[in-house]
Amino acid sequence: MAGGRERGARLQRPWSVYRANTFELSNEMIGLALAGNSQDPDEPVLEFSVACTELVTPALDRKPNSFVAASCTTPPQAFWTKHAQTEVIEGTSNPIFLSSIAFFQESNINQQTQVKLAVYDVKDRSQGTMYMLGSALFPVKELLQDKNHRLHLVLRSAENERVGNINVVAWQMEEKRDQRTPVARLPDTINGRTVLPVDESLTESMGVRTKYASLCKDTLLRSVFGGTMSRMYRFPTTDGNHLRVLEQMAESVLSLNIPRQYVKLLLEEDAARVCELEELGELSPCWENLRRQIVSQYQTIILTYQETLSDLNDYRGPSFKASNLKAERRLEFMPTNLHVQRMRVQDELGFDHTYDVITIGAPAAHCQGFKNNGLRKLIQKFEEAKKHSALSSSQSIVYIPQDIVRAKEIIAHINTLKTQVSYYAERLSRAAKERSANGLERTLAILADKTRQLVTVCDCKLLASAIQALNAARPEYIASKASPSADSEQVVLRNDQDTLLAKWSGRNSRSSLHADWHEEEWEKVWLNVDKSLECIIQRVDKLLQKERRPSDSSQDSTQTDQQGSASKKDGSPSTEEAYPGEWSEALYPLLTTLTECVAMMSDKAKKSMVFLLMQDGAPTIAMDLTLQYRRDVVFCQTLTALICGFIIKLRNCLRDDGFLRQLYTIGLLAQFESLLSTYGEELGMLEDMSVGIMDLRNVTFKVTQATGSSAPDMLPVITGNRDGFNVRIPLPGTMFDALPREIQNGMLLRVQPVLFNVGINEQQTLAEKFGDTSLQEIINLESLARLNSYYEQFKEVLPEDCLPRSRSQTCLPELLRFLGQNVHARKNKNVDILWQAAEICRRLNGVRFTSCKSAKDRTAMSVTLEQCLILQHEHGMAPQVFTQALDCMRSEGCRRENTMKNIGSRKYAFNSLQLKAFPKHYRPPDGTFGKVET
């Protein structure tokens, strides 16, 4: 009865799948089935599962360890092409395989295509010794024409002896146009295995379908990602249904595009720094020598960036950097082995769930090596050297770190505000020409605001003292110019080769007088700007009063007299006779004075700050630039991964109002998982990586509407400098229109990065027994605090319904508490930290990143484990197939192909001895690992 109701319900909705109820299926319909589905380009055109029965081996005392290899040939092709294979199932004569055989649109199969299924018995998985038990052939047309899309084939050996059976079950295929053909269901079981054609309901809701964005076909994603590999699986669930799982892996053109943009920005920044130093003007010999040394250091580093940019522009290889090239100098800014790993789950209710992880080799300066540690310790050494140089310096002024930060901020503010003042002065002039009273008022308000902001920036003690220091460094500087009066006190000035010291002997009164005199001089400069602005405001007020006089009938006689006198002053007997250029002529000289005063003030202030930075950086400039270069290399790799993650997350959640609200309110959570050990070179890598990830706090995103529809129009654009980078993400018009107004209006979107590291290999065992794991503990504690802080921010300003739903019985606060307990527990290889951090990230709408040294071997173990944990906890995959599913993904999934892409071998770079030190869930199946290049 329930079955009847179910069938009836299904007939009431539009069919997205069909089954023939006769043995004969028309050629037209077969062609239609094999053409694929235009609504979902990731649908395979043909997918079937296989299971064997009664397999017989020549040695009757052992049961086979079998797998099935599928090959195909399409006439007129006269040879067989290997297409796919299943996982190995050990010790059974009746294996049921979880990995399905899928043909996608690019396979170009048709109804004449012949498929050969060869069953192999693997005698020794570690050695890879195997032999073919038997094989069977069938044409695709035969499978499609069968009433139940099921074939029962006999396996025959090379000697034509029967060695068992193989059952082929095709999963239902979507049609491209509405078919009225009645549908017959697949049998419920095959060899005791529950089979349910879940595809029947996958397109029930077009609303659900449009949420899914294909890596291959989506307008935005295909411009960023490419080289997509796909694998299909069917996993049984606890309630007797099946999950259809599509696993994909794609590389990104951003691996090259972002480093090119980034290095170009660095070049421009450092070249601008040299220009600023050159524009300081003439300096006394001692300061001139110092400037030359600094400029020389910058020119050396600029040359390095130019060579790097040239190498990146000349690069013509694949759009990912293979792991064996991680120490290649010319490609050091490119991230290592950057890919997106995607799992798409379609459950029995027909809902799509997509899980993405960005995998990247540890962002580190491999080319520069790790003998002197990584960035974390190098920064500490640099800061100590800077303190030491400050204590032993002969400079008369020593600046504290806050002064240096403030000086950089002042330069940035001056550059921005000076440009804005010039722009609005020009706008005001245009409004005057057009005699637009509203335009004049509006523009004047903005101009006044920007000018006053600039004056506020320039009105500070730090600037005054820096201007004084710059004046003292001029060759023409003499005591008489600096002194307001001459008395018996002597001024000792040494602007020579030997010292940079300029002090006054005798009492301190002359020094303070000298400083006060310079502060007064500087005050006059910015007061001139203030007065110029006031003159413009008064003149505009008079012009607007005069303009409004005829329409104001209620004005009193005093106002009339004032306006009359103003008319006479302006040389026009009455308002009615005012000539067209009157406003423009009245404001032009005042605007010229303002822009000149602003230029003079800005120039003086900027030069003094540049000189201050020169003074501060001089003693450690060589060390500073070497350290900065390393930091640039690491940050570029990290930034590239972040941009990939941001784009794919934004595209997936384009219609998730909760996520978008969270994004513009508290920013995006970026959770990095690292499997590096805290021993040897990997300790230095972890130091580099931790600094690169924390530097992501200086990155903001801005979403814009793409100017065109071609792939280059969709690529992100980076602007800014080392103090802060902004990444502009262009979206096609239809996608941009779906965004909330806040994001459309250009709100800057922030990032909160966190990093959790747990070393899992044999080197970590050494670190735990004989070395030091303190860096891992510090990093995890820091990230735990930031993660808790992010969640606290979320609770303060956002409702819980912004977050995705989960089947987990553990609430977020509990998860965070468990994570805290694990982070504080001094337990070796505590991978629970990684599992809990990953789940919290997903539950908080975050972006996941996974790394090891090369993102090839340990990363493969981690992402496949994460996929299986998600399938079990969120989608009800049967626990009894967990290990089989894990081995299946590791042996036949996309990550096995990743090793092939990187080193030309389908083996993970582990050996048996190493793997004994690995946590149990991070060990690959036999036969998938061996001694290969890492």
Side-chain angles (χ1 to χ4, degrees):
M1 185 75 182
R5 276 202 304 273
E6 183 184 8
R7 206 170 290 114
R10 288 185 178 184
L11 287 171
Q12 287 170 18
R13 62 170 185 251
W15 285 108
S16 59
V17 289
Y18 65 86
R19 291 242 181 263
N21 62 348
T22 61
F23 284 92
E24 292 301 320
L25 198 64
S26 72
N27 285 347
E28 181 190 358
M29 285 180 70
I30 292 174
L32 194 65
L34 297 176
N37 168 30
S38 60
Q39 290 168 358
D40 189 347
D42 289 338
E43 284 282 340
V45 293
L46 175 64
E47 182 197 0
F48 58 83
S49 292
V50 290
C52 299
T53 55
E54 301 170 4
L55 293 180
V56 179
T57 58
L60 298 174
D61 58 328
R62 61 176 284 275
K63 290 183 177 180
N65 304 323
S66 57
F67 72 90
V68 179
S71 305
C72 60
T73 181
T74 303
Q77 183 178 301
F79 53 88
W80 292 95
T81 304
K82 184 179 176 183
H83 179 72
Q85 71 180 50
T86 66
E87 73 277 17
V88 177
I89 295 182
E90 297 182 336
T92 177
S93 298
N94 303 296
I96 299 169
F97 300 96
L98 297 182
S99 54
S100 56
I101 308 295
F103 292 85
F104 293 88
Q105 289 178 30
E106 62 271 18
S107 306
N108 294 321
I109 62 166
N110 60 37
Q111 55 184 308
Q112 271 75 46
T113 298
Q114 293 274 335
V115 178
K116 177 164 73 174
L117 300 176
V119 179
Y120 287 84
D121 177 19
V122 183
K123 284 189 171 181
D124 186 337
R125 290 189 73 170
S126 59
Q127 297 296 319
T129 52
M130 65 184 80
Y131 68 96
M132 190 174 79
L133 264 180
S135 61
L137 298 176
F138 68 89
V140 168
K141 186 174 183 178
E142 187 180 332
L143 180 61
L144 295 177
Q145 283 185 331
D146 183 84
K147 180 180 180 181
N148 296 314
H149 294 294
R150 171 187 171 185
L151 298 177
H152 180 81
L153 306 171
V154 174
L155 287 169
R156 296 199 174 273
S157 67
E159 294 78 30
N160 205 31
E161 293 178 3
R162 180 172 180 158
V163 291
N165 307 307
I166 187 164
N167 295 302
V168 181
V169 179
W171 296 92
Q172 297 182 8
M173 292 154 294
E174 296 191 345
E175 58 174 338
K176 285 183 75 176
R177 68 182 185 209
D178 195 23
Q179 299 290 339
R180 302 295 178 187
T181 317
V183 174
R185 295 185 61 195
L186 269 173
D188 288 334
T189 58
I190 167 171
N191 299 331
R193 177 187 180 192
T194 306
V195 177
L196 183 77
V198 295
D199 287 33
E200 286 187 15
S201 57
L202 287 183
T203 50
E204 177 178 0
S205 164
M206 284 308 296
V208 171
R209 176 69 67 180
T210 54
K211 285 183 183 177
Y212 176 72
S214 164
L215 286 173
C216 308
K217 301 294 181 183
D218 181 75
T219 313
L220 177 65
L221 297 186
R222 73 181 176 194
S223 67
V224 174
F225 300 102
T228 306
M229 294 181 174
S230 302
R231 295 289 182 272
M232 297 288 302
Y233 312 95
R234 297 276 174 164
F235 296 133
T237 59
T238 50
D239 57 3
N241 290 317
H242 270 73
L243 298 171
R244 191 181 83 156
V245 178
L246 170 67
E247 183 190 30
Q248 291 184 310
M249 182 183 73
E251 60 200 51
S252 175
V253 295
L254 299 187
S255 288
L256 188 60
N257 177 274
I258 296 301
R260 280 175 178 166
Q261 289 190 60
Y262 179 72
V263 175
K264 193 178 176 189
L265 284 176
L266 297 182
L267 257 174
E268 289 168 1
E269 184 180 346
D270 287 349
R273 182 87 175 107
V274 170
C275 284
E276 287 170 354
L277 288 166
E278 298 284 10
E279 288 168 0
L280 278 178
E282 200 176 350
L283 299 175
S284 59
C286 55
W287 289 111
E288 184 57 41
N289 281 345
L290 198 65
R291 173 165 60 179
R292 287 292 112 221
Q293 289 170 27
I294 294 171
V295 168
S296 173
Q297 293 282 353
Y298 268 108
Q299 285 170 338
T300 304
I301 208 84
I302 283 170
L303 193 62
T304 309
Y305 287 127
Q306 285 172 338
E307 288 171 2
T308 301
L309 186 58
S310 177
D311 289 335
L312 289 170
N313 287 331
D314 292 343
Y315 177 76
R316 294 292 178 270
S319 58
F320 80 103
K321 184 173 79 175
S323 62
N324 54 9
L325 297 174
K326 57 180 166 278
E328 183 81 19
R329 180 64 190 246
R330 64 195 179 89
L331 303 177
E332 64 180 334
F333 280 83
M334 285 179 69
T336 302
N337 192 20
L338 176 68
H339 285 80
V340 59
Q341 174 82 14
R342 165 169 284 193
M343 179 174 72
R344 179 184 178 191
V345 187
Q346 294 173 318
D347 61 23
E348 65 278 358
L349 297 174
F351 289 108
D352 262 336
H353 305 266
T354 304
Y355 303 90
D356 292 316
V357 179
I358 305 296
T359 60
I360 175 180
H366 296 277
C367 182
Q368 295 168 50
F370 305 96
K371 283 182 182 175
N372 299 315
N373 306 114
L375 274 173
R376 211 164 169 120
K377 280 208 177 75
L378 289 171
I379 289 169
Q380 286 173 6
K381 286 178 186 175
F382 173 71
E383 286 169 354
E384 285 164 14
K386 204 166 176 65
K387 279 179 192 171
H388 179 71
S389 71
L391 292 171
S392 60
S393 172
S394 59
Q395 285 178 225
S396 56
I397 301 173
V398 175
Y399 295 101
I400 58 172
Q402 291 92 317
D403 287 342
I404 306 310
V405 172
R406 180 69 184 134
K408 288 179 178 178
E409 287 174 355
I410 287 171
I411 291 174
H413 287 151
I414 287 171
N415 286 337
T416 304
L417 291 167
K418 182 188 170 187
T419 305
Q420 290 176 339
V421 167
S422 299
Y423 171 73
Y424 287 109
E426 178 59 36
R427 284 269 300 267
L428 193 69
S429 179
R430 206 179 311 145
K433 278 180 188 171
E434 295 165 359
R435 288 185 70 86
S436 166
N438 287 340
L440 211 60
E441 272 188 310
R442 279 199 309 268
T443 310
L444 179 62
I446 301 170
L447 176 64
D449 179 52
K450 299 296 178 189
T451 308
R452 283 169 184 148
Q453 282 182 42
L454 184 57
V455 169
T456 304
V457 167
C458 292
D459 178 18
C460 71
K461 292 274 185 187
L462 183 65
L463 254 174
S465 63
I467 287 167
Q468 177 187 342
L470 179 55
N471 284 335
R474 300 292 184 198
E476 69 275 9
Y477 181 76
I478 56 172
S480 59
K481 280 193 177 180
S483 303
S485 63
D487 57 25
S488 58
E489 288 175 6
Q490 184 188 3
V491 176
V492 180
L493 267 179
R494 297 191 213 114
N495 258 343
D496 53 31
Q497 303 281 0
D498 305 317
T499 179
L500 302 176
L501 196 61
K503 286 186 177 176
W504 280 258
S505 66
R507 295 191 308 274
N508 289 329
S509 58
R510 187 172 299 282
S511 292
S512 60
L513 282 170
H514 171 78
D516 291 343
W517 183 82
H518 274 287
E519 280 187 30
E520 285 170 20
E521 286 297 301
W522 173 236
E523 193 175 329
K524 285 178 189 173
V525 173
W526 59 259
L527 276 174
N528 281 339
V529 174
D530 228 0
K531 287 173 183 173
S532 300
L533 178 63
E534 284 308 313
C535 288
I536 292 171
I537 291 170
Q538 287 171 17
R539 182 55 59 92
V540 168
D541 278 347
K542 284 181 182 178
L543 290 171
L544 291 175
Q545 280 178 21
K546 188 174 156 188
E547 176 77 5
R548 289 170 183 148
R549 190 177 61 172
S551 60
D552 189 359
S553 57
S554 64
Q555 63 188 338
D556 64 343
S557 59
T558 310
Q559 261 184 314
T560 310
D561 291 343
Q562 285 173 348
Q563 289 181 349
S565 63
S567 296
K568 285 170 191 170
K569 256 186 200 171
D570 291 339
S572 63
S574 67
T575 309
E576 289 78 2
E577 295 173 24
Y579 56 96
E582 180 194 2
W583 286 14
S584 188
E585 283 180 17
L587 289 180
Y588 179 76
L590 298 177
L591 286 170
T592 304
T593 304
L594 176 70
T595 48
E596 285 173 357
C597 288
V598 163
M600 187 172 76
M601 179 181 74
S602 302
D603 184 56
K604 210 171 183 66
K606 187 176 170 183
K607 281 179 180 175
S608 69
M609 291 294 96
V610 169
F611 184 68
L612 182 153
L613 294 175
M614 186 181 98
Q615 282 177 292
D616 176 72
T620 52
I621 186 66
M623 192 178 180
D624 188 7
L625 291 182
T626 304
L627 181 63
Q628 187 61 67
Y629 184 82
R630 186 184 190 103
R631 200 165 184 168
D632 290 340
V633 168
V634 174
F635 178 71
C636 184
Q637 296 173 25
T638 320
L639 176 65
T640 306
L642 176 69
I643 295 171
C644 286
F646 183 92
I647 289 172
I648 204 161
K649 183 68 178 178
L650 181 66
R651 180 61 189 93
N652 288 346
C653 300
L654 208 57
R655 287 175 173 78
D656 183 343
D657 294 335
F659 165 76
L660 295 171
R661 185 177 167 192
Q662 181 182 344
L663 178 63
Y664 70 74
T665 307
I666 61 170
L668 179 73
L669 177 66
Q671 190 254 323
F672 288 79
E673 171 185 311
S674 167
L675 300 153
L676 293 170
S677 67
T678 54
Y679 188 85
E681 285 198 340
E682 289 198 4
L683 179 63
M685 292 175 205
L686 183 57
E687 286 187 20
D688 276 0
M689 184 178 180
S690 65
V691 173
I693 288 169
M694 287 309 102
D695 283 347
L696 293 176
R697 288 177 294 184
N698 295 330
V699 178
T700 54
F701 286 87
K702 184 178 179 180
V703 185
T704 60
Q705 187 165 346
T707 52
S709 56
S710 63
D713 296 323
M714 306 292 166
L715 293 177
V717 178
I718 313 173
T719 55
N721 55 41
R722 291 182 183 96
D723 294 324
F725 288 96
N726 178 254
V727 185
R728 224 166 47 239
I729 307 293
L731 291 186
T734 50
M735 295 183 195
F736 186 76
D737 291 342
L739 294 171
R741 190 64 56 199
E742 289 84 353
I743 297 177
Q744 285 188 11
N745 290 341
M747 181 178 279
L748 295 182
L749 311 170
R750 294 167 293 146
V751 177
Q752 177 59 277
V754 292
L755 165 65
F756 289 93
N757 185 85
V758 176
I760 62 169
N761 66 0
E762 77 289 352
Q763 286 189 314
Q764 187 63 22
T765 306
L766 292 174
E768 288 161 354
K769 287 188 176 177
F770 312 112
D772 181 12
T773 61
S774 60
L775 177 62
Q776 176 173 290
E777 290 160 16
I778 291 165
I779 286 171
N780 290 347
L781 283 167
E782 288 173 350
S783 291
L784 175 67
R786 276 192 294 273
L787 195 56
N788 276 318
S789 169
Y790 183 84
Y791 182 58
E792 288 304 315
Q793 284 181 62
F794 177 90
K795 286 196 299 183
E796 281 175 22
V797 294
L798 292 165
E800 287 288 326
D801 59 10
C802 282
L803 299 176
R805 293 196 185 108
S806 171
R807 285 174 61 165
S808 171
Q809 298 300 307
T810 313
C811 63
L812 260 172
E814 277 291 283
L815 262 179
L816 282 161
R817 190 171 63 82
F818 292 151
L819 177 63
Q821 288 171 354
N822 278 307
V823 166
H824 285 97
R826 300 180 70 87
K827 181 181 170 187
N828 292 342
K829 295 181 184 173
N830 189 358
V831 290
D832 284 353
I833 290 172
L834 301 180
W835 303 352
Q836 287 164 359
E839 185 179 350
I840 290 166
C841 172
R842 289 192 301 271
R843 299 266 295 269
L844 279 173
N845 274 321
V847 183
R848 287 270 299 110
F849 302 83
T850 298
S851 287
C852 61
K853 183 177 174 181
S854 59
K856 178 171 58 67
D857 307 306
R858 281 169 282 177
T859 296
M861 300 303 103
S862 175
V863 295
T864 48
L865 176 59
E866 183 175 350
Q867 287 174 176
C868 286
L869 287 170
I870 290 169
L871 289 171
Q872 184 169 302
H873 296 154
E874 296 291 343
H875 299 283
M877 183 177 75
Q880 61 268 28
V881 298
F882 182 88
T883 304
Q884 187 187 344
L886 191 56
D887 285 351
C888 177
M889 284 182 171
R890 287 171 177 174
S891 63
E892 302 310 321
C894 296
R895 297 316 295 191
R896 189 92 181 267
E897 297 307 317
N898 185 268
T899 66
M900 189 71 187
K901 283 179 75 171
N902 278 274
I903 56 171
S905 169
R906 292 183 81 249
K907 284 191 179 293
Y908 301 114
F910 303 131
N911 60 51
S912 301
L913 194 62
Q914 271 181 306
L915 289 174
K916 285 178 182 175
F918 277 49
K920 182 185 171 186
H921 288 304
Y922 289 83
R923 299 172 190 171
D926 286 344
T928 62
F929 57 89
K931 190 176 179 184
V932 289
E933 184 184 8
T934 59

